[in-house]
Amino acid sequence: MATPLTNYTVEMEHTGLSGWVNYREPMLTLRFSYERMLTSIYIFVPGDGQWPAYCRSAGARTATPRRDEIIQRIATELRIQHASSMVQINEFGIEVMF
């Protein structure tokens, strides 16, 4: 179930070569860990099977049916922020290559 909501932010918290990617909407916040590698950043996102439990534990039940939408938003924003030419999404996360 996609929503027409366009009021969201994607921010990175850096702690050396790793950190957090924060996805925020007015009533929702999700955090995903990431690692920086030589030529990319990899953001770890719970898979389809783990996503509902992750949303419950984050107090974000409304995000449960929106995994694909949220991942696409994060990927798009990180591509813009890092002037990356390539972003790959798979079952376990997002890789932003530069």
Side-chain angles (χ1 to χ4, degrees):
M1 178 171 108
T3 65
L5 183 64
T6 58
N7 188 15
Y8 66 91
T9 60
V10 176
E11 300 167 335
M12 293 185 77
E13 289 180 34
H14 304 285
T15 57
L17 296 177
S18 63
W20 298 96
V21 172
N22 298 308
Y23 173 84
R24 291 189 177 98
E25 294 177 1
M27 302 294 286
L28 171 77
T29 299
L30 298 172
R31 289 175 52 110
F32 306 98
S33 65
Y34 79 85
E35 286 187 22
R36 185 178 183 109
M37 300 176 206
L38 290 176
T39 60
S40 66
I41 297 171
Y42 195 87
I43 300 96
F44 300 95
V45 178
D48 287 334
Q50 295 81 29
W51 184 259
Y54 169 72
C55 291
R56 281 192 306 274
S57 70
R61 289 180 188 261
T62 58
T64 301
R66 299 176 49 219
R67 181 180 185 273
D68 292 340
E69 174 190 3
I70 290 169
I71 289 174
Q72 285 293 334
R73 287 178 171 186
I74 292 169
T76 299
E77 287 297 316
L78 292 179
R79 183 173 185 225
I80 292 166
Q81 291 174 16
H82 293 280
S84 173
S85 61
M86 186 176 215
V87 175
Q88 291 183 333
I89 299 171
N90 63 37
E91 173 65 18
F92 304 105
I94 305 164
E95 186 172 13
V96 180
M97 291 166 263
F98 31 81

